[in-house]
Amino acid sequence: MTAHPLFDISGRTALVTGSSRGIGLALARGLAEAGCTVVLNGRDKDRLAEAAAGLPGGRVHTAAFDVTDGSSVADGIADVEERVGPLDILVNNAGMQLRAPLLEFTDSDWHRILDTNLTSAFLVGREAARRMTERGHGKIINICSLQSEVARPGIAPYAATKGALKMLTKGMCADWGPSGVQVNGLGPGYIETELTRPLVEDEEFSAWVRRRTPAGRWGRTQDLVGGVLFLASPAADFVSGQVLYVDGGMTSVL
């Protein structure tokens, strides 16, 4: 049995920010396996080259630029389109976590997490959309979070950025939808990665995650790939401004 043509994204060009490791790299791998030309982004050229070498196919490129700096983003997107080709798909994945009680959270850390998790999606999304809207088509997928909907102690700034990213997704949909660009979010739940390893290894916290999640386990990075492939495909041409939560059901239960 062959796949339905509505899910065929072979030949498309995709940029994934923050993709030298973790969720971003897993999503880039999925897009490459689906036949896309993939551009990995990050700030460390060596780490990007190492990540690219591990992906399948011969159509993997890298683009090292700072997604929190407007001029760097403008130059980076222009370079990607000139060197690799017009972008059909953008995955805004770059993000970070800083955990601290809100009364102890510093001004500098607030601005750092805001720039990395929210401003970057605005800057990269805006530059990609300048070209997508002119061409009359494009897919932008913002990596939101379970914390776009809920919060817990110690991560209020992170939840604020991810809640704002959900609304930025809806705003991008409103502005760019008439020009043929669909903008959606993907909301991971608790996913096992290098960055969450300390939480996974915390027996009490890990047991809480399993109890709290109807699926009864932590998510894996590959659990997120199907959602991105759907949102990037023609099957989602009439889907925009939505957040698809891939959280094992956690947002649905008390």
Side-chain angles (χ1 to χ4, degrees), residues 72-161:
S72 179
V73 168
D75 292 343
I77 295 296
D79 171 67
V80 166
E81 291 233 339
E82 180 179 349
R83 180 165 50 91
V84 181
L87 286 175
D88 302 295
I89 301 161
L90 167 65
V91 181
N92 275 316
N93 169 76
M96 66 178 299
Q97 173 67 289
L98 293 171
R99 296 180 179 88
L102 194 53
L103 289 176
E104 300 170 15
F105 213 83
T106 66
D107 292 2
S108 60
D109 281 348
W110 169 265
H111 290 292
R112 183 180 168 206
I113 197 169
L114 190 67
D115 285 346
T116 304
N117 292 1
L118 180 62
T119 302
S120 67
F122 161 68
L123 294 174
V124 183
R126 182 182 62 180
E127 288 307 311
R130 290 188 199 281
R131 295 157 174 82
M132 290 178 174
T133 54
E134 289 178 359
R135 294 189 287 263
H137 65 86
K139 304 281 187 177
I140 297 176
I141 303 160
N142 295 325
I143 304 304
C144 297
S145 172
L146 169 72
Q147 274 80 39
S148 297
E149 298 293 338
V150 296
R152 61 181 178 83
I155 62 163
Y158 179 85
T161 63

Side-chain angles (χ1 to χ4, degrees), residues 37-51:
T37 297
V38 176
V39 183
L40 303 182
N41 160 263
R43 288 183 290 185
D44 187 324
K45 291 182 180 180
D46 292 338
R47 180 176 282 175
L48 284 173
E50 182 180 351

Side-chain angles (χ1 to χ4, degrees), residues 23 25-31 33 186 220-231 246:
I23 289 174
L25 182 56
L27 299 181
R29 179 182 298 278
L31 289 163
E33 290 171 343
L186 188 76
R220 297 180 286 265
T221 54
Q222 57 263 40
D223 290 322
L224 303 172
V225 172
V228 161
L229 298 183
F230 163 63
L231 294 174
V246 184

Side-chain angles (χ1 to χ4, degrees), residues 178-236:
S179 298
V181 177
Q182 291 83 53
V183 187
N184 290 288
L186 188 76
Y190 283 97
I191 306 295
E192 186 173 350
T193 67
E194 299 170 48
L195 296 179
T196 60
R197 173 56 54 185
L199 296 178
V200 175
E201 293 177 347
D202 181 327
E203 291 185 8
E204 183 179 355
F205 186 84
S206 202
W208 175 82
V209 168
R210 292 192 296 271
R211 288 195 308 270
R212 184 68 176 76
T213 306
R217 64 172 175 86
W218 281 76
R220 297 180 286 265
T221 54
Q222 57 263 40
D223 290 322
L224 303 172
V225 172
V228 161
L229 298 183
F230 163 63
L231 294 174
S233 75

